[in-house]
Amino acid sequence: NLLVAFFYPFKGVRGGTLEPHWSGLLWTAMLISLAIVIALPKPHGIRALIASTILRLIFSVGLQPTLFLLGAFNVCNKIIFLMSFVGNCGTFTRGYRAMVLDVEFLYHLLYLLICAMGLFVHEFFYSLLLFDLVYREETLLNVIKSVTRNGRSIILTAVLALILVYLFSIVGYLFFKDDFILEVDRLPNETAVPETGESLANDFLYSDVCRVETGENCTSPAPKEELLPAEETEQDKEHTCETLLMCIVTVLSHGLRSGGGVGDVLRKPSKEEPLFAARVIYDLLFFFMVIIIVLNLIFGVIIDTFADLRSEKQKKEEILKTTCFICGLERDKFDNKTVTFEEHIKEEHNMWHYLCFIVLVKVKDSTEYTGPESYVAEMIRERNLDWFPRMRAMSLVSSDSEGEQNELRNLQEKLESTMKLVTNLSGQLSELKDQMTEQRKQKQRIGLLGHPPHMNVNPQQPA
């Protein structure tokens, strides 16, 4: 499209010859880009190689052959892509009805047809391929969806605008027909057919004169008098409300496209006219009801829808960044754990590993299934996702079990310390019991031998 935009038409555009140092520089850029692509195949290196190759072809074989080669390469590339797309989606196995109803397949097929038309019909068909940017870029796709998602509301609001335009056209046709005077720019019509009477008069009056004087038949009309400036001004204006249909077209076309409504394009009335106040009300009502209210309703629906789509996109991106695609656990579940969230989504629950496992189960012979593979294959056939670890992760299970073991170990240590304390207390109680028993025996012996006179022993008092 850049080549077509800058150099069309291609007449006189041919392959030029470069100076030796520029040609050598271009060849060097091609070789360096090729070496980079072979050593490190990255998108930037591939783009540099394509750009240098296109420039080399333009100066070697010419612009139009280069454009033809690019178009042929694009057609071949799209054919290969379409075949791989059909094979991966299983479109042929699902039948022709599924092919016709598959919107994505129809889109790529239309893309291929446009490429072929640009190659074999005309280069301007390549311009339609630029709409592929809308399909590839989600932001541009949301711009289109902001109009199509709430299409019913927008259409109904537009119907309301048409109803108001129709009513204002009727009022204008009934009361302000003479105010619908618009300036027009007429095209010079050299091939206009004169009126019938004028044509016959010219043929009768001037044809013989031309034959006699010049020997030719001149049927040109008689020269007309030059128009005065005032008459030219009158001819540059037209009454656009002779019929109701023309009133509707004028109000719809000029009224909606003017910033102040239909009053901007109509005749400016004098304050001394009897319908001056009615004309002011007419212009103001159209401005407030159609321009301010109805059109802003349509704009508001589109802007609100675009804002909702943008918030949905941001929410989706936030969920993908903070939530595991496989198990659904959020990032905060892995705080202060042995495995971080990044390690979890790259090693434990890598979604591409699950996809590869699903492909393996589908392509592997069912007689060679292992137990888990048989289970997963049955789940896939039933479209059941219970085999996914929902809200579970091995790292969290192992950390939980380690925590339980630590708690048991702590309880066991506490129990052992308590047992030691109980043993010490039992030893002390036994010693105290022995001491009490020994003291009781001593007092019994003293009672048998008699009491000393200086001691007043109460036999009822306990020892």
Side-chain angles (χ1 to χ4, degrees):
N1 276 284
L2 289 176
L3 296 178
V4 172
F6 281 103
F7 299 105
Y8 191 87
F10 302 119
K11 295 179 181 180
V13 181
R14 299 178 181 176
T17 57
L18 287 173
E19 296 181 2
H21 62 280
W22 287 109
S23 180
L25 182 62
L26 197 55
W27 281 112
T28 304
M30 281 186 61
L31 294 176
I32 292 175
S33 302
L34 181 61
I36 293 175
V37 170
I38 294 174
L40 191 64
K42 295 292 183 180
H44 297 292
I46 296 174
R47 294 190 186 102
L49 177 61
I50 292 173
S52 58
T53 304
I54 291 174
L55 290 176
R56 183 68 265 178
L57 287 173
I58 290 174
F59 288 103
S60 297
V61 300
L63 183 62
Q64 199 162 3
T66 302
L67 193 62
F68 183 82
L69 290 175
L70 289 176
F73 175 77
N74 199 12
V75 170
C76 295
N77 184 28
K78 199 60 186 178
I79 289 174
I80 295 171
F81 174 82
L82 192 61
M83 293 175 63
S84 62
F85 173 80
V86 170
N88 291 333
C89 295
T91 307
F92 286 137
T93 59
R94 291 184 296 170
Y96 293 101
R97 180 180 178 83
M99 290 175 58
V100 174
L101 297 178
D102 193 350
V103 179
E104 194 170 1
F105 171 76
L106 295 177
Y107 169 78
H108 293 298
L109 184 62
L110 179 62
Y111 190 100
L112 176 60
L113 292 177
I114 294 174
C115 293
M117 293 174 70
L119 180 62
F120 297 110
V121 180
H122 201 279
E123 292 85 358
F124 285 169
F125 283 101
Y126 288 134
S127 61
L128 298 176
L129 301 181
L130 294 176
F131 286 106
D132 190 50
L133 292 174
V134 179
Y135 178 77
R136 294 175 179 267
E137 184 61 35
E138 187 177 359
T139 303
L140 294 177
L141 197 60
N142 287 337
V143 173
I144 303 300
K145 288 181 179 178
S146 64
V147 180
T148 58
R149 171 175 284 191
N150 289 331
R152 178 179 174 82
S153 300
I154 295 174
I155 291 174
L156 292 177
T157 311
V159 170
L160 176 61
L162 291 177
I163 294 172
L164 293 175
V165 166
Y166 179 63
L167 295 178
F168 277 97
S169 301
I170 293 176
V171 175
Y173 179 76
L174 293 176
F175 301 102
F176 308 109
K177 182 187 295 186
D178 295 333
D179 292 345
F180 283 79
I181 302 175
L182 302 182
E183 293 185 0
V184 295
D185 298 327
R186 300 182 186 276
L187 292 175
N189 194 0
E190 298 178 355
T191 60
V193 179
E195 296 180 3
T196 307
E198 183 180 0
S199 177
L200 293 175
N202 290 330
D203 290 340
F204 179 76
L205 292 176
Y206 295 100
S207 59
D208 293 337
V209 176
C210 291
R211 289 193 188 96
V212 171
E213 295 180 355
T214 62
E216 297 178 357
N217 184 11
C218 299
T219 59
S220 59
K224 297 182 179 179
E225 296 181 358
E226 295 184 358
L227 296 175
L228 297 176
E231 295 177 354
E232 292 180 356
T233 305
E234 289 295 331
Q235 283 195 352
D236 290 340
K237 293 183 178 180
E238 282 186 354
H239 288 273
T240 57
C241 195
E242 297 296 333
T243 62
L244 181 59
L245 180 60
M246 284 305 301
C247 271
I248 295 173
V249 172
T250 304
V251 174
L252 184 63
S253 176
H254 296 279
L256 295 181
R257 291 188 294 111
S258 301
V262 72
D264 288 352
V265 296
L266 299 185
R267 182 183 64 87
K268 304 301 184 291
S270 174
K271 63 180 181 179
E272 297 178 356
E273 296 181 9
L275 294 178
F276 175 76
R279 173 64 190 279
V280 171
I281 296 173
Y282 179 79
D283 295 344
L284 289 177
L285 284 176
F286 189 92
F287 176 72
F288 282 112
M289 296 180 65
V290 179
I291 303 298
I292 292 182
I293 297 177
V294 177
L295 293 185
N296 285 321
L297 281 176
I298 297 175
F299 299 152
V301 170
I302 295 174
I303 293 171
D304 290 343
T305 306
F306 183 75
D308 294 339
L309 291 171
R310 184 175 56 186
S311 63
E312 289 178 6
K313 178 185 175 183
Q314 293 176 353
K315 185 178 180 181
K316 207 180 299 180
E317 292 176 352
E318 186 68 20
I319 290 174
L320 290 176
K321 289 180 181 178
T322 60
T323 306
C324 177
F325 181 79
I326 301 299
C327 65
L329 291 173
E330 297 180 354
R331 182 184 291 270
D332 57 356
K333 300 294 182 181
F334 296 89
D335 294 341
N336 300 324
K337 302 294 181 181
T338 57
V339 177
T340 63
F341 180 75
E342 285 75 14
E343 294 175 350
H344 170 72
I345 61 176
K346 288 181 180 179
E347 297 177 3
E348 289 185 341
H349 288 169
N350 192 322
M351 60 180 179
W352 302 114
H353 294 171
Y354 277 80
L355 177 62
C356 293
F357 182 67
I358 292 173
V359 174
L360 172 67
V361 169
K362 287 189 175 183
V363 301
K364 190 175 181 180
D365 190 1
S366 59
T367 58
E368 299 178 359
Y369 281 163
T370 61
E373 291 174 354
S374 301
Y375 172 73
V376 172
E378 183 65 24
M379 288 289 183
I380 292 174
R381 280 193 295 270
E382 296 177 357
R383 295 183 178 273
N384 192 346
L385 298 179
D386 289 342
W387 61 281
F388 274 77
R390 300 301 300 167
M391 307 304 294
R392 291 177 297 171
M394 291 296 294
S395 59
L396 297 181
V397 172
S398 61
S399 62
D400 292 341
S401 61
E402 290 177 358
E404 292 176 357
Q405 291 178 0
N406 292 331
E407 291 180 0
L408 290 175
R409 192 179 297 110
N410 293 331
L411 290 175
Q412 188 174 3
E413 291 177 356
K414 290 180 180 180
L415 182 60
E416 291 178 355
S417 62
T418 305
M419 290 298 294
K420 290 180 181 180
L421 181 61
V422 170
T423 304
N424 293 332
L425 291 175
S426 300
Q428 292 176 2
L429 287 174
S430 61
E431 290 178 359
L432 182 60
K433 185 178 180 180
D434 293 339
Q435 291 177 2
M436 294 293 293
T437 304
E438 185 67 26
Q439 289 179 2
R440 191 177 293 110
K441 288 180 180 180
Q442 289 179 0
K443 288 181 179 181
Q444 288 177 358
R445 285 197 297 269
I446 292 172
L448 292 174
L449 294 177
H451 299 289
H454 60 275
M455 293 180 64
N456 185 13
V457 180
N458 187 3
Q460 296 180 355
Q461 185 178 358

